[in-house]
Amino acid sequence: MTQAAYGFIHRKTLTRFGLFIVLVAALGGLGFYFRPGNKNAVPTGATFKAFRGPMEIVVLEGGSIEAKDSLQIQSEVQGQTRILKLIEEGYQITQKDVDEGLILIELDSKDLLDKQLAQELEYQSSSASLTEAIEQYDIQLNQNESDIKAGELEVHFARMDLEKYLGASLTDSLLKELGLDQVTESIHNKKLDSSSIDFAQYAHPDKLGDGEARQTLRQLENELELAQEDVGLAETKLEGSRRLFDKEFITKTQLDTDQNTYNRKVIALQSAETHRDLFIKYEFLKLAQKYMSDYEESLRKLERTIKLAHSKEAQSEAKKNSAEARHQLQTRKREDLATQIEKCTIRAPKTGLIVYGTGEQNFRAETIEEGATVRERQVMITIPDTSVMAVRLQVHESFVKKVKPGQKARIRVDAFPGELLTGEVQRIAVVPDSQNRWLNPDQKVYRTLVNIDGEYDWLKPGMSAEAEIITNVLDNALQVPMHAVHLQNEQTVCYVASLFGIETRPVKTGEYNISFIEIQDGLQAGESILLQAPRGARTDGKKEEEKEEGISEGMESGQRSDIPLPSEGQGPDGEGGRGGGGRPTETGMPDGTPAGAPDGAPDGAERGGRPGGDGLSTGAPSGGGGRGPGGQESRSGRGPGGPGHS
């Protein structure tokens, strides 16, 4: 080997050794630079680039599928009864079943049949009583009519007697004076009293009517006149006889005979005068008063007869009405019992699926089975209309003010996780759910119904489902993952990474959804941030320890401990559901992006139409298996902060 070649080799060796020394020094410097606790070190953990884009604000709650409209078959039997026969749950009623009257439920009707037998006896008894009361009422009406007719005839006959004695003209005049010329008025409106009439003034033939009194008075007057004439003739004859006797033309005997005749005629005249005076003074007055009194009494009797007839009619009518009411009551009871017995057999009213009870699954649900006791108006079977389905949710009170009718929603059914359905909020209850208050009085949830768009044969009532209600959409929001925002020294910060080190930068947060939170100030789009705080930053003491413990235990409070509550109008962290309050796991980010994925928007941004996906991956616990602020147990492990699927 020549000296030149040896020199070349020596120089080459020295050069390599120098490069090795420089490399060792550089590695040592880098090791010192990247030593633990150096906050200016280049980041080595998972990072994420803040980006701008549309951001959906959602409320996610779990619930169950139910028909929007359904027919509930209730027990219409009064009181309580037992189920004897019951069609199996899930049976599909066909039109043929409806036409043939398929029996769905048969209730125990033994007690009702016994009551029906006793009621039939009561019904027959009331029917007989009603018939008797009706007949008695008709008889009483007939009797009243007869009594009133008899009374009216008696009044008529009494007036006829009065007219017969006093004459029609005088009778009419007197009755008009007394106000008794109309029978109806005399009965109801006049006080009957004829004692004020002085009948003596009418004791003259010219004043009396053509009646018995006038005839009698005339006869007495005529007899008096004849007696007076007889006395005059007897007196004239006696005077002639006396002159003849004085001249002795007749004997004493003849004179005495004429004297006796004269005396008899005088006595007859006196008798006629007395007879006439007695008639005028006593007989006429007595008979006139008697006939008038008889007429008045006949009017009073007629009035009493009419009132008594009305009273008897009212009593008979009351008995008839009472019998009718009792019979109607017994008839109604008889019909009710027949209807109750008929309602013990419930037949298929329409086509559809058989669901026991109301279809709700809760601790207060009443058992529907053969032999079970059911009460009146208890829902035994529900036949849902599966053409229009809906999701019934329980929205926590912290979110209910954001949910409004008409908002769109995305729905996933647990049994078909690959199917994404759409819907719309129909209504929100105005008061908290009363059933939930029995489980946890401190937690208030509101029943919310979300209609599902379209028809799906595979949807069945009672299936578990989750609905994401889109409450707001931010068009161009700067977004970072929820887990990239931390609390340090009572400030909300992000750890911004660059080639020159890690910068702890305060940020101002805004709205948030399942996986991402809006950054209103402090970051720029494209800046890389750490998903986990550097080791040196986890020295805040008790707060950081409590944060780690809260995250590892499933965040029982339902809120993140490292992010302050959003401003007014926002709910607790993790709103809308999954991943809102969790932290990155070993498998990746909350949206399912692996830890080694490149910077930028996660690959789940296409799922569900929002950045960050739906958070169904294993890296989205937000209280998995835990309890929300109200302590509500959830099958998916979410409180009001949203479910976290493990």
Side-chain angles (χ1 to χ4, degrees):
M1 179 179 296
T2 63
Q3 186 176 3
Y6 178 79
F8 175 76
I9 294 172
H10 180 69
R11 287 193 302 273
K12 187 176 182 179
T13 302
L14 291 176
T15 301
R16 290 179 177 176
F17 181 75
L19 291 175
F20 177 76
I21 295 299
V22 171
L23 179 62
V24 170
L27 291 176
L30 289 174
F32 176 79
Y33 186 79
F34 291 118
R35 73 186 187 277
N38 186 1
K39 294 183 181 180
N40 296 321
V42 177
T44 59
T47 62
F48 186 91
K49 283 187 177 181
F51 69 96
R52 287 190 176 275
M55 180 179 183
E56 291 183 346
I57 310 303
V58 300
V59 172
L60 187 143
E61 292 290 352
S64 59
I65 301 293
E66 66 177 25
K68 179 183 176 183
D69 299 315
S70 59
L71 174 64
Q72 292 185 340
I73 298 178
Q74 302 176 341
S75 172
E76 299 183 18
V77 179
Q78 297 176 355
Q80 293 184 339
T81 185
R82 292 185 300 109
I83 300 176
L84 298 182
K85 292 177 62 178
L86 179 65
I87 194 169
E88 62 180 349
E89 188 172 19
Y91 180 83
Q92 184 69 38
I93 302 175
T94 63
Q95 187 60 43
K96 181 180 178 182
D97 296 333
V98 176
D99 297 338
E100 295 178 353
L102 175 66
I103 297 177
L104 303 182
I105 301 176
E106 184 176 346
L107 302 176
D108 187 5
S109 61
K110 181 179 179 301
D111 294 340
L112 293 175
L113 291 173
D114 294 340
K115 291 181 180 179
Q116 187 183 42
L117 179 60
Q119 184 58 39
E120 186 65 27
L121 298 178
E122 292 290 336
Y123 172 78
Q124 296 298 336
S125 175
S126 66
S127 178
S129 299
L130 176 60
T131 302
E132 180 183 1
I134 293 175
E135 295 297 332
Q136 288 294 333
Y137 179 71
D138 293 338
I139 291 172
Q140 187 61 53
L141 291 180
N142 195 347
Q143 183 64 43
N144 291 345
E145 185 177 358
S146 299
D147 294 342
I148 292 173
K149 287 291 184 182
E152 291 175 347
L153 285 175
E154 189 172 349
V155 171
H156 180 64
F157 293 155
R159 178 161 181 166
M160 288 177 64
D161 291 340
L162 183 60
E163 290 178 350
K164 177 183 177 183
Y165 187 71
L166 296 178
S169 59
L170 180 58
T171 300
D172 291 340
S173 176
L174 292 176
L175 293 180
K176 285 182 180 180
E177 182 181 349
L178 294 174
L180 304 179
D181 54 328
Q182 297 294 331
V183 175
T184 54
E185 289 188 7
S186 66
I187 294 175
H188 300 291
N189 301 327
K190 302 297 181 181
K191 181 178 180 181
L192 305 181
D193 186 10
S194 62
S195 60
S196 60
I197 299 177
D198 183 13
F199 287 98
Q201 61 180 327
Y202 301 106
H204 192 277
D206 296 335
K207 294 182 179 181
L208 291 173
D210 190 12
E212 288 183 352
R214 182 179 182 182
Q215 187 68 20
T216 302
L217 184 59
R218 281 179 176 178
Q219 183 178 356
L220 294 175
E221 291 287 346
N222 292 334
E223 290 178 355
L224 180 60
E225 289 179 0
L226 291 174
Q228 289 175 349
E229 291 178 357
D230 289 343
V231 169
L233 292 175
E235 183 180 3
T236 301
K237 185 178 181 180
L238 178 61
E239 290 178 355
S241 296
R242 285 177 179 174
R243 287 192 300 268
L244 291 176
F245 177 75
D246 289 339
K247 295 178 179 181
E248 295 182 357
F249 288 113
I250 60 174
T251 63
K252 178 66 173 175
T253 303
Q254 291 177 337
L255 179 61
D256 292 338
T257 300
D258 292 337
Q259 183 67 44
N260 290 333
T261 301
Y262 173 75
N263 292 336
R264 285 196 298 269
K265 295 300 182 181
V266 171
I267 294 172
L269 175 60
Q270 293 175 350
S271 176
E273 289 178 351
T274 303
H275 195 188
R276 186 198 64 175
D277 294 339
L278 290 176
F279 174 77
I280 293 174
K281 189 175 181 179
Y282 296 107
E283 188 70 18
F284 171 72
L285 297 180
K286 183 186 74 170
L287 291 177
Q289 190 68 44
K290 176 182 179 300
Y291 287 130
M292 181 61 74
S293 178
D294 290 344
Y295 178 72
E296 290 179 342
E297 184 59 31
S298 66
L299 291 177
R300 293 190 183 95
K301 186 176 180 181
L302 176 59
E303 184 176 6
R304 291 195 300 269
T305 301
I306 293 175
K307 290 183 178 180
L308 182 61
H310 289 167
S311 175
K312 290 182 178 179
E313 180 183 352
Q315 293 178 5
S316 181
E317 185 178 8
K319 291 180 180 179
K320 180 176 73 73
N321 293 338
S322 177
E324 286 179 348
R326 181 171 177 269
H327 182 66
Q328 289 176 358
L329 176 62
Q330 299 303 328
T331 302
R332 186 164 59 251
K333 287 184 177 180
R334 180 171 177 254
E335 293 174 351
D336 289 345
L337 282 173
T339 303
Q340 291 285 297
I341 294 173
E342 182 180 353
K343 290 179 178 179
C344 287
T345 302
I346 301 175
R347 303 182 183 274
K350 58 174 290 186
T351 60
L353 187 69
I354 295 295
V355 178
Y356 287 171
T358 60
E360 298 182 2
Q361 303 295 329
N362 53 61
F363 77 102
R364 298 180 63 186
E366 297 167 298
T367 303
I368 303 297
E369 61 184 4
E370 292 184 355
T373 300
V374 293
R375 52 178 171 77
E376 185 180 6
R377 298 188 180 278
Q378 178 180 340
V379 178
M380 299 181 292
I381 286 179
T382 300
I383 303 178
D385 181 6
T386 56
S387 62
V388 182
M389 304 296 284
V391 184
R392 186 182 70 253
L393 308 173
Q394 302 283 2
V395 177
H396 192 266
E397 61 180 336
S398 59
F399 304 138
V400 72
K401 64 181 179 180
K402 294 186 176 183
V403 180
K404 296 178 177 58
Q407 292 177 340
K408 300 298 181 180
R410 290 187 292 267
I411 303 161
R412 290 189 184 274
V413 182
D414 290 2
F416 298 89
E419 299 288 343
L420 179 63
L421 310 179
T422 61
E424 183 177 294
V425 177
Q426 181 188 17
R427 64 174 180 267
I428 305 102
V430 296
V431 295
D433 186 10
S434 59
Q435 293 184 357
N436 189 74
R437 290 201 296 265
W438 289 92
L439 290 173
N440 191 344
D442 297 329
Q443 182 174 357
K444 304 297 188 300
V445 293
Y446 292 77
R447 284 194 175 192
T448 303
L449 192 67
V450 179
N451 291 341
I452 298 176
D453 299 333
E455 296 185 22
Y456 304 92
D457 296 338
W458 46 269
L459 273 182
K460 304 295 181 184
M463 285 184 170
S464 298
E466 288 180 340
E468 292 178 331
I469 302 174
I470 304 172
T471 61
N472 192 14
V473 177
L474 303 179
D475 294 332
N476 189 24
L478 181 62
Q479 308 170 45
V480 298
M482 293 284 293
H483 311 90
V485 181
H486 307 274
L487 185 67
Q488 186 180 68
N489 297 328
E490 298 183 356
Q491 277 190 327
T492 305
V493 300
C494 286
Y495 296 102
V496 182
S498 66
L499 294 176
F500 302 101
I502 300 174
E503 177 186 357
T504 302
R505 187 180 300 175
V507 295
K508 180 182 179 181
T509 60
E511 295 279 2
Y512 53 90
N513 61 16
I514 296 174
S515 302
F516 289 86
I517 185 169
E518 177 191 14
I519 302 298
Q520 296 180 345
D521 188 24
L523 285 181
Q524 299 293 328
E527 289 186 308
S528 296
I529 57 175
L530 294 182
L531 294 179
Q532 290 185 351
R535 293 182 181 179
R538 299 184 183 182
T539 57
D540 281 358
K542 188 174 182 179
K543 290 184 180 179
E544 286 292 332
E545 294 175 1
E546 290 177 351
K547 178 195 70 173
E548 294 297 332
E549 292 175 0
I551 294 175
S552 63
E553 293 176 0
M555 295 187 68
E556 289 190 357
S557 65
Q559 299 180 354
R560 288 173 53 101
S561 59
D562 58 343
I563 300 177
L565 290 176
S567 59
E568 182 65 25
Q570 303 179 17
D573 285 345
E575 173 205 12
R578 315 174 275 237
R583 59 179 176 82
T585 62
E586 295 178 358
T587 58
M589 300 190 316
D591 56 7
T593 304
D599 289 344
D603 59 359
E606 296 179 358
R607 297 188 60 186
R610 69 181 187 280
D614 54 11
L616 290 172
S617 65
T618 58
S622 66
R627 299 164 64 92
Q632 179 187 18
E633 294 287 351
S634 173
R635 57 176 177 79
S636 58
R638 72 184 190 287
H645 291 268
S646 59

